């Protein structure tokens, strides 16, 4: 019974941290590419605590390209959360140890954590949309006369 409770806790922690890490991966690529973006935590969270946890995203990244950026940068940023799977597969393949000292970690708890973390590594449907149609997102920006010339991501 204790293992089940600890596994559930590990799963919840992995999903909570993984959801935020998912959006941070988008932001890291945009930051490196010097594309402006807004990172909003708990957007539109007026539905109380339960609504925040279940019904709304925990974080959202909205890129604000100026129009001259290549589309491949937005595509890489959209698919960047896939890199969250690398540490889990590295541990699973035995390339690295999850902890530096020999600690007996119950495989059920470790598996629950890995499942939660890998679930957050999957790009969302919106991410795939940006990956496939990034060129369309950049075209209206390039034609817009009210586009700023100064980067605010620095």
């Amino acid at each position: 019974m204790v293992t089940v409770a600890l596994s559930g806790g590990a799963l919840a922690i992995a999903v909570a941290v993984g959801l935020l890490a998912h959006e941070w991966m988008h932001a890291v690529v945009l930051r490196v590419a010097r594309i402006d973006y807004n990172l909003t935590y708990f957007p539109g969270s007026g539905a109380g605590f339960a609504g925040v946890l279940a019904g709304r995203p925990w974080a959202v990244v909205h890129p604000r390209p100026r129009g001259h950026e290549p589309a491949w940068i937005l595509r890489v940023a959209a698919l960047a959360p896939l890199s969250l799977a690398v540490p889990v597969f590295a541990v699973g393949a035995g390339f690295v140890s999850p902890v530096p000292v020999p600690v007996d970690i119950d495989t059920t708890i470790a598996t629950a954590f890995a499942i939660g973390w890998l679930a957050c590594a999957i790009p969302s449907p919106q991410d795939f949309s940006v990956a496939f149609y990034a060129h369309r997102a950049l075209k209206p920006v390039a034609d817009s006369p009210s586009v700023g010339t100064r980067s605010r991501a620095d």
Side-chain angles (χ1 to χ4, degrees):
M1 188 65 168
V2 172
T3 302
V4 172
L6 290 175
S7 297
L11 179 67
I13 289 170
V15 170
V17 174
L19 286 173
L20 297 175
H22 177 105
E23 297 301 325
W24 293 336
M25 292 306 299
H26 295 308
V28 164
V29 174
L30 294 172
R31 170 73 100 171
V32 169
R34 295 181 183 244
I35 296 176
D36 291 339
Y37 62 91
N38 286 333
L39 177 58
T40 307
Y41 295 100
F42 304 109
S45 58
F49 185 70
V52 167
L53 292 180
R56 308 217 185 245
W58 288 19
V60 177
V61 174
H62 293 286
R64 293 188 322 259
R66 292 180 297 252
H68 65 275
E69 298 87 352
W72 68 266
I73 293 174
L74 290 180
R75 290 184 173 107
V76 169
L79 298 177
L82 284 170
S83 64
L84 294 173
V86 172
V88 175
F89 289 126
V91 169
F95 295 128
V96 295
S97 175
V99 285
V101 294
V103 175
D104 185 28
I105 298 175
D106 190 351
T107 56
T108 307
I109 298 168
T111 302
F113 186 87
I115 289 170
W117 189 258
L118 287 173
C120 295
I122 300 170
S124 68
Q126 292 89 353
D127 296 340
F128 281 116
S129 179
V130 170
F132 289 124
Y133 301 110
H135 61 284
R136 290 185 188 173
L138 290 173
K139 189 172 184 174
V141 172
D143 297 337
S144 174
S146 62
V147 174
T149 58
R150 191 166 169 231
S151 173
R152 291 182 294 227
D154 294 332

